Amino acid sequence: MDPEILSHSGFVSLIGRPNVGKSTLLNQLAGQRLAITSPKPQTTRSIIRAIIDEPDTQIVFLDTPGLHLAKSKLGQYMTDAARLAMADTDIILLLIEAGFSPRVLDIERKVLAQLQASKKPVILVINKVDSNEKESILPLMAAFHEVYPFQAIIPISAKTGDGISILIDEIRRLLPEGPRYFPIDSLTDQTERMIAGELIREQILLKTHEEIPHGTAVVVDSFTEHTTEAGERTHVTIEASIVCEKDTHKGILIGKQGSMLTAIGTGARKEIEAMLDCPCYLDLFVRVRDDWRNRQSILNDLGYQD
Ligand code: GDP
Ligand code: MG
């Protein structure tokens, strides 16, 4: 059967400095439409955070990883986030907050320079308009307008929901035709598996830094829950593949005598155990595949096998 083609379909990433309101906006988006609830919201990171699913439209919102990095690493985080956002998405939302003096910060300039090269549409979203004077917003819009050709500049309040429907309309306008990437029924019970894959991907990003082979994907091959007779979960066994493009990338990911893979695995296991609240046995493999650069790989990356 041919897949149903929607008139608007695609992936949207959200980037912005800590505290500008990314989580609040994603929660607002999820709350308005379809929520993919994670088992422990406080630990979720780079995962699908909201999907707007309508007869002619599917918009998948992705969150970016590395939320808890130290200040000194912020520049690295922002540029990594921008890089990931560009690889995976059709549209990028750069979130800033109203109320600061109306200028573009260095970190935002840096990110914008990267985004420019990607030629993907970028929407500037100015958050927290509810707690700031209207007059402070125009100069901010002007300052950003001067440095970048945004597709749109949209003031919102993630808290009150003000401006959100304008933002969604703008995103819909920019999205191409495409399939319904996520069959909605199958989503909710896969969340832990999805998050596990993302936590592994986050560790790859954190541990390899600039060396991270661009576009490396994580495929969760198996996710097995072990329970007591009473049905209580005792532990989880996860097998996952890190899929990269070249043998040289594989070498980086494995490291000297496996040291890199061990570091990635140890870091990911800790994060996964915190999320699942039980012990986790994690087996990681590195595989080379050269056709990852397509949409199906994003689905795989998030735990959906073909
Ligand atoms: P993140 O670090 O970018 O994910 O930011 P958060 O979503 O965690 O928000 C940081 C802080 O800003 C929280 O205290 C939020 O309640 C607050 N905040 C987020 N959006 C708004 C908004 O639209 N208006 C106001 N007044 N506060 C907001
Ligand atoms: Mg947040």
Side-chain angles (χ1 to χ4, degrees), residues 17-24 127-128 130-131 157-159:
R17 286 177 297 109
N19 273 321
V20 293
K22 295 181 295 299
S23 301
T24 309
N127 190 28
K128 307 195 187 180
D130 60 292
S131 62
S157 167
K159 202 171 207 166

Side-chain angles (χ1 to χ4, degrees), residues 2-302:
D2 284 340
E4 177 197 8
I5 297 299
L6 311 180
S7 41
H8 313 279
S9 148
F11 294 75
V12 176
S13 290
L14 195 54
I15 60 179
R17 286 177 297 109
N19 273 321
V20 293
K22 295 181 295 299
S23 301
T24 309
L25 174 57
L26 287 163
N27 289 339
Q28 179 71 246
L29 288 164
Q32 281 201 343
R33 313 287 169 113
L34 175 93
I36 298 177
T37 44
S38 76
K40 289 192 157 193
Q42 71 276 14
T43 62
T44 65
R45 306 186 180 189
S46 129
I47 56 164
I48 291 180
R49 286 293 309 275
I51 294 184
I52 290 178
D53 189 68
E54 286 167 2
D56 67 338
T57 302
Q58 188 171 74
I59 309 173
V60 183
F61 290 90
L62 304 174
D63 202 356
T64 43
L67 298 180
H68 306 300
L69 296 186
K71 265 230 166 66
S72 61
K73 287 199 172 158
L74 183 59
Q76 174 78 41
Y77 158 58
M78 287 285 285
T79 50
D80 283 345
R83 195 152 47 84
L84 284 181
M86 287 185 294
D88 285 356
T89 62
D90 298 290
I91 298 172
I92 290 143
L93 306 184
L94 177 61
L95 194 63
I96 62 170
E97 58 181 314
F100 278 123
S101 61
R103 64 190 185 84
V104 183
L105 302 175
D106 282 348
I107 200 157
E108 280 142 5
R109 272 180 208 281
K110 228 168 130 183
V111 166
L112 285 170
Q114 267 186 302
L115 294 179
Q116 185 126 44
S118 81
K119 302 207 167 67
K120 298 227 168 137
V122 182
I123 299 175
L124 181 72
V125 181
I126 303 179
N127 190 28
K128 307 195 187 180
V129 295
D130 60 292
S131 62
N132 289 281
E133 300 292 328
K134 283 254 169 3
E135 298 80 71
S136 74
I137 293 159
L138 281 176
L140 195 61
M141 288 170 106
F144 274 81
H145 178 69
E146 219 164 272
V147 301
Y148 196 82
F150 294 102
Q151 289 289 331
I153 299 183
I154 301 175
I156 64 157
S157 167
K159 202 171 207 166
T160 67
D162 214 22
I164 304 276
S165 65
I166 297 170
L167 175 62
I168 292 169
D169 286 346
E170 189 62 28
I171 291 168
R172 183 187 281 120
R173 191 179 70 77
L174 292 168
L175 280 178
E177 278 190 345
R180 195 180 297 279
Y181 289 106
F182 291 90
I184 281 309
D185 304 349
S186 70
L187 279 174
T188 36
D189 60 338
Q190 300 244 20
T191 309
E192 289 183 339
R193 183 185 177 128
M194 272 175 11
I195 299 172
E198 287 302 309
L199 291 173
I200 296 166
R201 192 163 78 136
E202 179 178 75
Q203 288 300 313
I204 298 171
L205 180 71
L206 290 172
K207 298 283 176 348
T208 63
H209 296 293
E210 285 302 309
E211 290 174 298
I212 184 186
H214 179 65
T216 297
V218 175
V219 178
V220 177
D221 301 306
S222 72
F223 185 107
T224 313
E225 255 186 297
H226 305 269
T227 54
T228 62
E229 267 172 33
E232 245 174 82
R233 181 155 73 186
T234 53
H235 64 281
V236 168
T237 312
I238 298 173
E239 290 176 319
S241 301
I242 301 173
V243 184
C244 58
E245 291 185 282
K246 293 183 184 150
D247 285 329
T248 50
H249 294 169
K250 184 174 174 179
I252 293 169
L253 286 162
I254 291 175
K256 270 206 183 89
Q257 287 162 350
S259 55
M260 178 60 83
L261 194 60
T262 303
I264 292 168
T266 306
R269 182 175 49 75
K270 280 192 193 135
E271 296 292 330
I272 292 169
E273 286 180 340
M275 171 194 52
L276 300 175
D277 214 7
C278 73
C280 166
Y281 301 94
L282 175 63
D283 263 332
L284 289 180
F285 309 91
V286 182
R287 291 198 278 125
V288 179
R289 191 176 78 192
D290 53 20
D291 67 343
W292 67 272
R293 226 183 265 274
N294 56 48
R295 276 295 151 73
Q296 191 60 47
S297 78
I298 296 178
L299 306 189
N300 288 343
D301 185 9
L302 294 159

